[in-house]
Amino acid sequence: MDDEATLIASFESLRKRDGLTVEKLRDERHARLLVMLGAEEKAEEGFERLTDLVLSLRDSFITRSVRNALVIGDDIQTRGGLEERRAWAVDRNLGKSALIPRDRRTHCRYEARGFKELARSIIRQHTQRSLYEVTPSLMNEFLREYRAQREKRQPDWDAMVKEVDEQMRQAGRFGQYAFVVFGVFGLVFFSFLISRPYASTYEKLFAAVAMIAVELLFMVGIIDMGRKSERSSTIIEGARKLIRETTLWRRKGIDD
């Protein structure tokens, strides 16, 4: 028997004679009802919760049928038993002032429908309570697993930055070597031009000026490469600091 059928069976048992009472709820047959109400082995608390739930339902003939069957509400009396209460609720002599101005058969139909709706409402609230109680523990377990996996997969930022820094330094040294080779080649070439015996004075002057220009370019290139190397180191340090701060901020956000 599923929970809905079990709860409906409890309601049908509780409606007999004087309706819902704490003493009846202590019966083992209603243990599941107390559990679903969140009042396991606490009949008094279960009585209060069930009563409050029924009274919180929107007023309708269906709700009135449930209240009359279980004797819930100040306007409902035991009246000797279930059949007497049903007869009073549909008493034609009371006219429109009757609790349920319908016939007895309709009252029973409303009653059955109301028990089903009440059972579903209790099941829905029980599910919500269960999720509320379980979710924090599941979240804590998820965070622990996430942190463990994050520590395993955390990139080695220092090693990555160090590798990039070394590659940039190597590129700078290669540039310096290239300038040296180019400068030496220029010296040799222009020395050859000047040393030619048949070279005119104009050609020698042009070669001398060109050689001086190449040497100046060579010196400026060496100095510029040194500055770029220093600037690259500064950029690398800034990137390393930014990465570290960002990583620490992410860790703090997740840990909190």
Side-chain angles (χ1 to χ4, degrees):
M1 185 180 298
D2 59 12
D3 285 331
E4 182 177 327
T6 300
L7 296 182
I8 293 175
S10 290
F11 299 150
E12 291 174 349
S13 175
L14 291 170
R15 70 185 175 183
K16 296 178 180 179
R17 295 187 297 277
D18 51 353
L20 175 66
T21 63
V22 175
E23 289 72 18
K24 287 183 180 180
L25 287 175
R26 292 196 177 99
D27 193 303
E28 293 182 358
R29 291 176 297 175
H30 309 303
R32 186 57 184 169
L33 173 60
L34 293 178
V35 171
M36 299 297 289
L37 289 170
E40 187 174 359
E41 299 181 357
K42 298 177 181 178
E44 293 80 3
E45 184 177 350
F47 176 85
E48 293 179 1
R49 291 195 176 191
L50 182 56
T51 300
D52 292 340
L53 177 59
V54 173
L55 292 176
S56 68
L57 299 176
R58 183 179 62 85
D59 184 41
S60 64
F61 290 154
I62 294 175
T63 303
R64 292 180 184 181
S65 297
V66 173
R67 293 199 301 108
N68 187 52
L70 298 177
V71 191
I72 296 177
D74 296 335
D75 57 335
I76 307 298
Q77 300 178 9
T78 58
R79 300 184 182 276
L82 176 61
E83 291 303 326
E84 288 76 5
R85 289 194 297 276
R86 286 172 175 170
W88 165 79
V90 298
D91 189 355
R92 295 183 180 275
N93 295 327
L94 298 176
K96 293 183 179 180
S97 62
L99 184 68
I100 304 172
R102 298 288 189 273
D103 57 24
R104 180 184 176 283
R105 181 177 298 178
T106 303
H107 184 297
C108 293
R109 188 169 63 251
Y110 285 164
E111 203 174 294
R113 182 177 173 183
F115 283 165
K116 181 178 293 187
E117 293 179 359
L118 180 59
R120 292 176 178 176
S121 178
I122 292 174
I123 293 172
R124 184 167 55 251
Q125 291 186 6
H126 174 71
T127 303
Q128 292 174 350
R129 282 195 305 272
S130 299
L131 289 176
Y132 178 78
E133 293 171 356
V134 172
T135 299
S137 60
L138 288 177
M139 286 300 298
N140 290 334
E141 182 65 26
F142 170 78
L143 286 176
R144 283 194 296 268
E145 181 66 21
Y146 174 78
R147 289 166 184 159
Q149 294 297 326
R150 183 193 61 190
E151 292 299 329
K152 294 179 180 178
R153 301 176 182 177
Q154 185 67 32
D156 190 350
W157 295 111
D158 291 336
M160 293 173 62
V161 172
K162 184 177 180 181
E163 181 179 355
V164 174
D165 192 7
E166 183 62 26
Q167 291 177 357
M168 293 188 69
R169 291 181 187 277
Q170 290 178 1
R173 286 195 294 270
F174 175 78
Q176 291 177 348
Y177 296 151
F179 271 110
V180 171
V181 172
F182 181 73
V184 172
F185 175 78
L187 286 173
V188 173
F189 177 73
F190 290 116
S191 297
F192 170 74
L193 290 178
I194 294 174
S195 63
R196 288 186 306 165
Y198 52 85
S200 64
T201 303
Y202 176 78
E203 289 178 339
K204 291 181 180 181
L205 179 62
F206 173 76
V209 173
M211 184 176 64
I212 293 173
V214 169
E215 292 303 318
L216 288 175
L217 179 63
F218 168 71
M219 293 176 63
V220 171
I222 294 295
I223 295 173
D224 186 59
M225 288 301 297
R227 290 179 177 176
K228 285 183 178 179
S229 179
E230 293 178 359
R231 186 161 61 252
S232 298
S233 298
T234 303
I235 294 173
I236 289 295
E237 287 298 326
R240 181 188 290 113
K241 182 178 180 181
L242 177 61
I243 289 172
R244 284 177 176 174
E245 291 179 353
T246 303
T247 303
L248 290 174
W249 176 79
R250 287 181 61 195
R251 287 181 179 178
K252 183 179 179 181
I254 293 175
D255 293 338
D256 291 343

PDB file of all heavy atoms in Angstrom, residues 136-167:
ATOM      1  N   PRO A 136      21.219  20.298   2.747  1.00  0.00           N
ATOM      2  CA  PRO A 136      22.472  20.805   3.316  1.00  0.00           C
ATOM      3  C   PRO A 136      23.576  19.764   3.375  1.00  0.00           C
ATOM      4  O   PRO A 136      24.731  20.057   3.057  1.00  0.00           O
ATOM      5  CB  PRO A 136      22.045  21.261   4.716  1.00  0.00           C
ATOM      6  CG  PRO A 136      20.599  21.573   4.588  1.00  0.00           C
ATOM      7  CD  PRO A 136      20.074  20.565   3.618  1.00  0.00           C
ATOM      8  N   SER A 137      23.252  18.543   3.766  1.00  0.00           N
ATOM      9  CA  SER A 137      24.275  17.515   3.847  1.00  0.00           C
ATOM     10  C   SER A 137      24.800  17.159   2.456  1.00  0.00           C
ATOM     11  O   SER A 137      25.991  16.921   2.265  1.00  0.00           O
ATOM     12  CB  SER A 137      23.710  16.261   4.530  1.00  0.00           C
ATOM     13  OG  SER A 137      22.615  15.739   3.801  1.00  0.00           O
ATOM     14  N   LEU A 138      23.893  17.136   1.463  1.00  0.00           N
ATOM     15  CA  LEU A 138      24.329  16.854   0.103  1.00  0.00           C
ATOM     16  C   LEU A 138      25.236  17.958  -0.429  1.00  0.00           C
ATOM     17  O   LEU A 138      26.242  17.699  -1.095  1.00  0.00           O
ATOM     18  CB  LEU A 138      23.112  16.706  -0.820  1.00  0.00           C
ATOM     19  CG  LEU A 138      22.276  15.438  -0.647  1.00  0.00           C
ATOM     20  CD1 LEU A 138      21.081  15.471  -1.583  1.00  0.00           C
ATOM     21  CD2 LEU A 138      23.114  14.195  -0.916  1.00  0.00           C
ATOM     22  N   MET A 139      24.898  19.205  -0.107  1.00  0.00           N
ATOM     23  CA  MET A 139      25.720  20.320  -0.550  1.00  0.00           C
ATOM     24  C   MET A 139      27.088  20.281   0.095  1.00  0.00           C
ATOM     25  O   MET A 139      28.114  20.543  -0.550  1.00  0.00           O
ATOM     26  CB  MET A 139      25.015  21.640  -0.224  1.00  0.00           C
ATOM     27  CG  MET A 139      23.832  21.951  -1.138  1.00  0.00           C
ATOM     28  SD  MET A 139      24.326  22.082  -2.875  1.00  0.00           S
ATOM     29  CE  MET A 139      25.444  23.469  -2.786  1.00  0.00           C
ATOM     30  N   ASN A 140      27.138  19.960   1.384  1.00  0.00           N
ATOM     31  CA  ASN A 140      28.428  19.868   2.071  1.00  0.00           C
ATOM     32  C   ASN A 140      29.285  18.760   1.460  1.00  0.00           C
ATOM     33  O   ASN A 140      30.497  18.930   1.277  1.00  0.00           O
ATOM     34  CB  ASN A 140      28.212  19.606   3.559  1.00  0.00           C
ATOM     35  CG  ASN A 140      27.623  20.803   4.279  1.00  0.00           C
ATOM     36  OD1 ASN A 140      27.810  21.943   3.843  1.00  0.00           O
ATOM     37  ND2 ASN A 140      26.907  20.573   5.357  1.00  0.00           N
ATOM     38  N   GLU A 141      28.665  17.639   1.144  1.00  0.00           N
ATOM     39  CA  GLU A 141      29.396  16.539   0.522  1.00  0.00           C
ATOM     40  C   GLU A 141      29.899  16.939  -0.861  1.00  0.00           C
ATOM     41  O   GLU A 141      31.031  16.622  -1.246  1.00  0.00           O
ATOM     42  CB  GLU A 141      28.480  15.313   0.418  1.00  0.00           C
ATOM     43  CG  GLU A 141      29.159  14.084  -0.190  1.00  0.00           C
ATOM     44  CD  GLU A 141      30.294  13.561   0.676  1.00  0.00           C
ATOM     45  OE1 GLU A 141      30.259  13.788   1.909  1.00  0.00           O
ATOM     46  OE2 GLU A 141      31.209  12.937   0.113  1.00  0.00           O
ATOM     47  N   PHE A 142      29.052  17.645  -1.602  1.00  0.00           N
ATOM     48  CA  PHE A 142      29.456  18.109  -2.932  1.00  0.00           C
ATOM     49  C   PHE A 142      30.635  19.075  -2.852  1.00  0.00           C
ATOM     50  O   PHE A 142      31.580  18.986  -3.639  1.00  0.00           O
ATOM     51  CB  PHE A 142      28.276  18.800  -3.619  1.00  0.00           C
ATOM     52  CG  PHE A 142      28.647  19.519  -4.881  1.00  0.00           C
ATOM     53  CD1 PHE A 142      28.857  18.822  -6.056  1.00  0.00           C
ATOM     54  CD2 PHE A 142      28.788  20.903  -4.889  1.00  0.00           C
ATOM     55  CE1 PHE A 142      29.206  19.490  -7.221  1.00  0.00           C
ATOM     56  CE2 PHE A 142      29.141  21.571  -6.051  1.00  0.00           C
ATOM     57  CZ  PHE A 142      29.350  20.858  -7.209  1.00  0.00           C
ATOM     58  N   LEU A 143      30.593  20.011  -1.876  1.00  0.00           N
ATOM     59  CA  LEU A 143      31.683  20.973  -1.727  1.00  0.00           C
ATOM     60  C   LEU A 143      32.982  20.287  -1.332  1.00  0.00           C
ATOM     61  O   LEU A 143      34.054  20.655  -1.827  1.00  0.00           O
ATOM     62  CB  LEU A 143      31.300  22.031  -0.681  1.00  0.00           C
ATOM     63  CG  LEU A 143      30.262  23.058  -1.126  1.00  0.00           C
ATOM     64  CD1 LEU A 143      29.892  23.979   0.034  1.00  0.00           C
ATOM     65  CD2 LEU A 143      30.782  23.880  -2.295  1.00  0.00           C
ATOM     66  N   ARG A 144      32.890  19.286  -0.460  1.00  0.00           N
ATOM     67  CA  ARG A 144      34.103  18.559  -0.070  1.00  0.00           C
ATOM     68  C   ARG A 144      34.709  17.840  -1.277  1.00  0.00           C
ATOM     69  O   ARG A 144      35.933  17.862  -1.486  1.00  0.00           O
ATOM     70  CB  ARG A 144      33.774  17.557   1.041  1.00  0.00           C
ATOM     71  CG  ARG A 144      33.601  18.190   2.417  1.00  0.00           C
ATOM     72  CD  ARG A 144      33.623  17.130   3.508  1.00  0.00           C
ATOM     73  NE  ARG A 144      32.503  16.215   3.386  1.00  0.00           N
ATOM     74  CZ  ARG A 144      31.348  16.381   3.991  1.00  0.00           C
ATOM     75  NH1 ARG A 144      31.153  17.436   4.761  1.00  0.00           N
ATOM     76  NH2 ARG A 144      30.368  15.499   3.853  1.00  0.00           N
ATOM     77  N   GLU A 145      33.847  17.210  -2.077  1.00  0.00           N
ATOM     78  CA  GLU A 145      34.342  16.509  -3.258  1.00  0.00           C
ATOM     79  C   GLU A 145      34.918  17.494  -4.271  1.00  0.00           C
ATOM     80  O   GLU A 145      35.954  17.231  -4.890  1.00  0.00           O
ATOM     81  CB  GLU A 145      33.186  15.720  -3.892  1.00  0.00           C
ATOM     82  CG  GLU A 145      33.574  14.920  -5.129  1.00  0.00           C
ATOM     83  CD  GLU A 145      34.552  13.796  -4.810  1.00  0.00           C
ATOM     84  OE1 GLU A 145      34.618  13.389  -3.625  1.00  0.00           O
ATOM     85  OE2 GLU A 145      35.229  13.347  -5.749  1.00  0.00           O
ATOM     86  N   TYR A 146      34.240  18.636  -4.418  1.00  0.00           N
ATOM     87  CA  TYR A 146      34.720  19.637  -5.374  1.00  0.00           C
ATOM     88  C   TYR A 146      36.083  20.178  -4.958  1.00  0.00           C
ATOM     89  O   TYR A 146      36.976  20.350  -5.800  1.00  0.00           O
ATOM     90  CB  TYR A 146      33.709  20.785  -5.460  1.00  0.00           C
ATOM     91  CG  TYR A 146      34.187  21.940  -6.313  1.00  0.00           C
ATOM     92  CD1 TYR A 146      34.138  21.872  -7.706  1.00  0.00           C
ATOM     93  CD2 TYR A 146      34.694  23.091  -5.721  1.00  0.00           C
ATOM     94  CE1 TYR A 146      34.581  22.917  -8.492  1.00  0.00           C
ATOM     95  CE2 TYR A 146      35.148  24.140  -6.506  1.00  0.00           C
ATOM     96  CZ  TYR A 146      35.084  24.050  -7.878  1.00  0.00           C
ATOM     97  OH  TYR A 146      35.531  25.091  -8.642  1.00  0.00           O
ATOM     98  N   ARG A 147      36.240  20.458  -3.671  1.00  0.00           N
ATOM     99  CA  ARG A 147      37.527  20.978  -3.202  1.00  0.00           C
ATOM    100  C   ARG A 147      38.639  19.959  -3.388  1.00  0.00           C
ATOM    101  O   ARG A 147      39.761  20.317  -3.753  1.00  0.00           O
ATOM    102  CB  ARG A 147      37.408  21.375  -1.725  1.00  0.00           C
ATOM    103  CG  ARG A 147      36.561  22.627  -1.498  1.00  0.00           C
ATOM    104  CD  ARG A 147      36.196  22.795  -0.055  1.00  0.00           C
ATOM    105  NE  ARG A 147      35.312  23.941   0.145  1.00  0.00           N
ATOM    106  CZ  ARG A 147      34.530  24.102   1.199  1.00  0.00           C
ATOM    107  NH1 ARG A 147      34.515  23.185   2.154  1.00  0.00           N
ATOM    108  NH2 ARG A 147      33.772  25.167   1.306  1.00  0.00           N
ATOM    109  N   ALA A 148      38.306  18.690  -3.141  1.00  0.00           N
ATOM    110  CA  ALA A 148      39.322  17.644  -3.312  1.00  0.00           C
ATOM    111  C   ALA A 148      39.739  17.538  -4.780  1.00  0.00           C
ATOM    112  O   ALA A 148      40.932  17.451  -5.095  1.00  0.00           O
ATOM    113  CB  ALA A 148      38.784  16.306  -2.814  1.00  0.00           C
ATOM    114  N   GLN A 149      38.760  17.568  -5.686  1.00  0.00           N
ATOM    115  CA  GLN A 149      39.080  17.498  -7.103  1.00  0.00           C
ATOM    116  C   GLN A 149      39.808  18.752  -7.571  1.00  0.00           C
ATOM    117  O   GLN A 149      40.706  18.682  -8.421  1.00  0.00           O
ATOM    118  CB  GLN A 149      37.784  17.315  -7.922  1.00  0.00           C
ATOM    119  CG  GLN A 149      37.087  15.994  -7.696  1.00  0.00           C
ATOM    120  CD  GLN A 149      37.949  14.811  -8.121  1.00  0.00           C
ATOM    121  OE1 GLN A 149      38.723  14.889  -9.075  1.00  0.00           O
ATOM    122  NE2 GLN A 149      37.809  13.703  -7.410  1.00  0.00           N
ATOM    123  N   ARG A 150      39.435  19.894  -6.997  1.00  0.00           N
ATOM    124  CA  ARG A 150      40.086  21.140  -7.388  1.00  0.00           C
ATOM    125  C   ARG A 150      41.554  21.142  -7.001  1.00  0.00           C
ATOM    126  O   ARG A 150      42.419  21.596  -7.752  1.00  0.00           O
ATOM    127  CB  ARG A 150      39.388  22.319  -6.707  1.00  0.00           C
ATOM    128  CG  ARG A 150      39.942  23.689  -7.106  1.00  0.00           C
ATOM    129  CD  ARG A 150      39.429  24.751  -6.169  1.00  0.00           C
ATOM    130  NE  ARG A 150      39.867  24.476  -4.812  1.00  0.00           N
ATOM    131  CZ  ARG A 150      39.417  25.121  -3.744  1.00  0.00           C
ATOM    132  NH1 ARG A 150      38.479  26.037  -3.880  1.00  0.00           N
ATOM    133  NH2 ARG A 150      39.869  24.827  -2.542  1.00  0.00           N
ATOM    134  N   GLU A 151      41.863  20.599  -5.817  1.00  0.00           N
ATOM    135  CA  GLU A 151      43.257  20.543  -5.376  1.00  0.00           C
ATOM    136  C   GLU A 151      44.072  19.621  -6.282  1.00  0.00           C
ATOM    137  O   GLU A 151      45.243  19.877  -6.553  1.00  0.00           O
ATOM    138  CB  GLU A 151      43.327  20.049  -3.926  1.00  0.00           C
ATOM    139  CG  GLU A 151      42.759  21.029  -2.918  1.00  0.00           C
ATOM    140  CD  GLU A 151      43.511  22.349  -2.909  1.00  0.00           C
ATOM    141  OE1 GLU A 151      44.723  22.343  -3.181  1.00  0.00           O
ATOM    142  OE2 GLU A 151      42.887  23.382  -2.624  1.00  0.00           O
ATOM    143  N   LYS A 152      43.430  18.541  -6.764  1.00  0.00           N
ATOM    144  CA  LYS A 152      44.138  17.610  -7.647  1.00  0.00           C
ATOM    145  C   LYS A 152      44.406  18.239  -9.012  1.00  0.00           C
ATOM    146  O   LYS A 152      45.444  18.013  -9.610  1.00  0.00           O
ATOM    147  CB  LYS A 152      43.327  16.325  -7.827  1.00  0.00           C
ATOM    148  CG  LYS A 152      43.191  15.502  -6.550  1.00  0.00           C
ATOM    149  CD  LYS A 152      42.364  14.262  -6.819  1.00  0.00           C
ATOM    150  CE  LYS A 152      42.205  13.426  -5.547  1.00  0.00           C
ATOM    151  NZ  LYS A 152      41.366  12.228  -5.779  1.00  0.00           N
ATOM    152  N   ARG A 153      43.442  19.020  -9.487  1.00  0.00           N
ATOM    153  CA  ARG A 153      43.537  19.563 -10.844  1.00  0.00           C
ATOM    154  C   ARG A 153      44.023  21.008 -10.863  1.00  0.00           C
ATOM    155  O   ARG A 153      44.035  21.632 -11.917  1.00  0.00           O
ATOM    156  CB  ARG A 153      42.168  19.499 -11.521  1.00  0.00           C
ATOM    157  CG  ARG A 153      41.610  18.082 -11.617  1.00  0.00           C
ATOM    158  CD  ARG A 153      40.221  18.084 -12.215  1.00  0.00           C
ATOM    159  NE  ARG A 153      39.658  16.750 -12.266  1.00  0.00           N
ATOM    160  CZ  ARG A 153      38.429  16.483 -12.699  1.00  0.00           C
ATOM    161  NH1 ARG A 153      37.659  17.463 -13.130  1.00  0.00           N
ATOM    162  NH2 ARG A 153      37.987  15.240 -12.707  1.00  0.00           N
ATOM    163  N   GLN A 154      44.389  21.573  -9.720  1.00  0.00           N
ATOM    164  CA  GLN A 154      44.808  22.969  -9.670  1.00  0.00           C
ATOM    165  C   GLN A 154      46.068  23.184 -10.509  1.00  0.00           C
ATOM    166  O   GLN A 154      47.085  22.537 -10.278  1.00  0.00           O
ATOM    167  CB  GLN A 154      45.087  23.391  -8.209  1.00  0.00           C
ATOM    168  CG  GLN A 154      45.417  24.862  -8.049  1.00  0.00           C
ATOM    169  CD  GLN A 154      44.218  25.727  -8.367  1.00  0.00           C
ATOM    170  OE1 GLN A 154      43.091  25.338  -8.148  1.00  0.00           O
ATOM    171  NE2 GLN A 154      44.467  26.907  -8.899  1.00  0.00           N
ATOM    172  N   PRO A 155      46.046  24.071 -11.515  1.00  0.00           N
ATOM    173  CA  PRO A 155      47.239  24.305 -12.339  1.00  0.00           C
ATOM    174  C   PRO A 155      48.377  24.875 -11.503  1.00  0.00           C
ATOM    175  O   PRO A 155      48.152  25.624 -10.556  1.00  0.00           O
ATOM    176  CB  PRO A 155      46.744  25.331 -13.380  1.00  0.00           C
ATOM    177  CG  PRO A 155      45.260  25.231 -13.352  1.00  0.00           C
ATOM    178  CD  PRO A 155      44.895  24.848 -11.950  1.00  0.00           C
ATOM    179  N   ASP A 156      49.603  24.509 -11.863  1.00  0.00           N
ATOM    180  CA  ASP A 156      50.788  25.048 -11.202  1.00  0.00           C
ATOM    181  C   ASP A 156      51.120  26.380 -11.872  1.00  0.00           C
ATOM    182  O   ASP A 156      51.896  26.455 -12.818  1.00  0.00           O
ATOM    183  CB  ASP A 156      51.955  24.062 -11.320  1.00  0.00           C
ATOM    184  CG  ASP A 156      53.131  24.475 -10.443  1.00  0.00           C
ATOM    185  OD1 ASP A 156      53.099  25.592  -9.908  1.00  0.00           O
ATOM    186  OD2 ASP A 156      54.074  23.678 -10.307  1.00  0.00           O
ATOM    187  N   TRP A 157      50.493  27.460 -11.336  1.00  0.00           N
ATOM    188  CA  TRP A 157      50.649  28.765 -11.960  1.00  0.00           C
ATOM    189  C   TRP A 157      52.114  29.222 -11.940  1.00  0.00           C
ATOM    190  O   TRP A 157      52.590  29.809 -12.906  1.00  0.00           O
ATOM    191  CB  TRP A 157      49.765  29.793 -11.252  1.00  0.00           C
ATOM    192  CG  TRP A 157      48.310  29.538 -11.387  1.00  0.00           C
ATOM    193  CD1 TRP A 157      47.438  29.151 -10.424  1.00  0.00           C
ATOM    194  CD2 TRP A 157      47.525  29.648 -12.580  1.00  0.00           C
ATOM    195  NE1 TRP A 157      46.174  29.004 -10.918  1.00  0.00           N
ATOM    196  CE2 TRP A 157      46.199  29.310 -12.245  1.00  0.00           C
ATOM    197  CE3 TRP A 157      47.817  30.005 -13.900  1.00  0.00           C
ATOM    198  CZ2 TRP A 157      45.173  29.315 -13.172  1.00  0.00           C
ATOM    199  CZ3 TRP A 157      46.790  30.015 -14.822  1.00  0.00           C
ATOM    200  CH2 TRP A 157      45.490  29.665 -14.458  1.00  0.00           C
ATOM    201  N   ASP A 158      52.795  28.978 -10.849  1.00  0.00           N
ATOM    202  CA  ASP A 158      54.185  29.415 -10.755  1.00  0.00           C
ATOM    203  C   ASP A 158      55.045  28.769 -11.838  1.00  0.00           C
ATOM    204  O   ASP A 158      55.876  29.423 -12.475  1.00  0.00           O
ATOM    205  CB  ASP A 158      54.748  29.082  -9.371  1.00  0.00           C
ATOM    206  CG  ASP A 158      54.109  29.927  -8.280  1.00  0.00           C
ATOM    207  OD1 ASP A 158      53.620  31.024  -8.621  1.00  0.00           O
ATOM    208  OD2 ASP A 158      54.103  29.510  -7.112  1.00  0.00           O
ATOM    209  N   ALA A 159      54.836  27.467 -12.062  1.00  0.00           N
ATOM    210  CA  ALA A 159      55.613  26.765 -13.081  1.00  0.00           C
ATOM    211  C   ALA A 159      55.275  27.289 -14.477  1.00  0.00           C
ATOM    212  O   ALA A 159      56.165  27.471 -15.321  1.00  0.00           O
ATOM    213  CB  ALA A 159      55.350  25.271 -13.008  1.00  0.00           C
ATOM    214  N   MET A 160      53.971  27.553 -14.724  1.00  0.00           N
ATOM    215  CA  MET A 160      53.558  28.061 -16.017  1.00  0.00           C
ATOM    216  C   MET A 160      54.144  29.441 -16.291  1.00  0.00           C
ATOM    217  O   MET A 160      54.666  29.717 -17.385  1.00  0.00           O
ATOM    218  CB  MET A 160      52.025  28.098 -16.088  1.00  0.00           C
ATOM    219  CG  MET A 160      51.362  26.726 -16.067  1.00  0.00           C
ATOM    220  SD  MET A 160      49.574  26.829 -15.949  1.00  0.00           S
ATOM    221  CE  MET A 160      49.193  27.689 -17.476  1.00  0.00           C
ATOM    222  N   VAL A 161      54.096  30.326 -15.289  1.00  0.00           N
ATOM    223  CA  VAL A 161      54.632  31.672 -15.462  1.00  0.00           C
ATOM    224  C   VAL A 161      56.140  31.627 -15.626  1.00  0.00           C
ATOM    225  O   VAL A 161      56.723  32.359 -16.427  1.00  0.00           O
ATOM    226  CB  VAL A 161      54.238  32.555 -14.251  1.00  0.00           C
ATOM    227  CG1 VAL A 161      54.951  33.894 -14.317  1.00  0.00           C
ATOM    228  CG2 VAL A 161      52.736  32.759 -14.233  1.00  0.00           C
ATOM    229  N   LYS A 162      56.786  30.752 -14.865  1.00  0.00           N
ATOM    230  CA  LYS A 162      58.238  30.618 -14.964  1.00  0.00           C
ATOM    231  C   LYS A 162      58.640  30.160 -16.361  1.00  0.00           C
ATOM    232  O   LYS A 162      59.638  30.632 -16.935  1.00  0.00           O
ATOM    233  CB  LYS A 162      58.740  29.627 -13.921  1.00  0.00           C
ATOM    234  CG  LYS A 162      60.243  29.495 -13.878  1.00  0.00           C
ATOM    235  CD  LYS A 162      60.668  28.548 -12.772  1.00  0.00           C
ATOM    236  CE  LYS A 162      62.194  28.416 -12.737  1.00  0.00           C
ATOM    237  NZ  LYS A 162      62.622  27.481 -11.666  1.00  0.00           N
ATOM    238  N   GLU A 163      57.870  29.225 -16.935  1.00  0.00           N
ATOM    239  CA  GLU A 163      58.164  28.731 -18.270  1.00  0.00           C
ATOM    240  C   GLU A 163      58.017  29.836 -19.308  1.00  0.00           C
ATOM    241  O   GLU A 163      58.857  29.995 -20.202  1.00  0.00           O
ATOM    242  CB  GLU A 163      57.225  27.570 -18.607  1.00  0.00           C
ATOM    243  CG  GLU A 163      57.484  26.965 -19.978  1.00  0.00           C
ATOM    244  CD  GLU A 163      56.546  25.812 -20.266  1.00  0.00           C
ATOM    245  OE1 GLU A 163      55.766  25.437 -19.362  1.00  0.00           O
ATOM    246  OE2 GLU A 163      56.592  25.292 -21.403  1.00  0.00           O
ATOM    247  N   VAL A 164      56.935  30.628 -19.194  1.00  0.00           N
ATOM    248  CA  VAL A 164      56.736  31.741 -20.125  1.00  0.00           C
ATOM    249  C   VAL A 164      57.852  32.767 -19.983  1.00  0.00           C
ATOM    250  O   VAL A 164      58.364  33.300 -20.971  1.00  0.00           O
ATOM    251  CB  VAL A 164      55.356  32.389 -19.879  1.00  0.00           C
ATOM    252  CG1 VAL A 164      55.197  33.642 -20.740  1.00  0.00           C
ATOM    253  CG2 VAL A 164      54.238  31.404 -20.189  1.00  0.00           C
ATOM    254  N   ASP A 165      58.218  33.054 -18.722  1.00  0.00           N
ATOM    255  CA  ASP A 165      59.297  34.005 -18.464  1.00  0.00           C
ATOM    256  C   ASP A 165      60.594  33.543 -19.116  1.00  0.00           C
ATOM    257  O   ASP A 165      61.316  34.319 -19.760  1.00  0.00           O
ATOM    258  CB  ASP A 165      59.476  34.155 -16.955  1.00  0.00           C
ATOM    259  CG  ASP A 165      60.384  35.340 -16.607  1.00  0.00           C
ATOM    260  OD1 ASP A 165      60.738  36.096 -17.536  1.00  0.00           O
ATOM    261  OD2 ASP A 165      60.734  35.499 -15.431  1.00  0.00           O
ATOM    262  N   GLU A 166      60.914  32.258 -18.988  1.00  0.00           N
ATOM    263  CA  GLU A 166      62.147  31.718 -19.566  1.00  0.00           C
ATOM    264  C   GLU A 166      62.118  31.789 -21.091  1.00  0.00           C
ATOM    265  O   GLU A 166      63.129  32.109 -21.738  1.00  0.00           O
ATOM    266  CB  GLU A 166      62.336  30.272 -19.105  1.00  0.00           C
ATOM    267  CG  GLU A 166      63.630  29.626 -19.601  1.00  0.00           C
ATOM    268  CD  GLU A 166      64.857  30.348 -19.084  1.00  0.00           C
ATOM    269  OE1 GLU A 166      64.779  30.984 -18.011  1.00  0.00           O
ATOM    270  OE2 GLU A 166      65.907  30.268 -19.770  1.00  0.00           O
ATOM    271  N   GLN A 167      60.945  31.519 -21.670  1.00  0.00           N
ATOM    272  CA  GLN A 167      60.834  31.600 -23.126  1.00  0.00           C
ATOM    273  C   GLN A 167      61.045  33.013 -23.628  1.00  0.00           C
ATOM    274  O   GLN A 167      61.711  33.234 -24.654  1.00  0.00           O
ATOM    275  CB  GLN A 167      59.463  31.086 -23.569  1.00  0.00           C
ATOM    276  CG  GLN A 167      59.272  29.595 -23.371  1.00  0.00           C
ATOM    277  CD  GLN A 167      57.885  29.137 -23.751  1.00  0.00           C
ATOM    278  OE1 GLN A 167      57.033  29.948 -24.113  1.00  0.00           O
ATOM    279  NE2 GLN A 167      57.642  27.829 -23.666  1.00  0.00           N
TER     280      GLN A 167
END
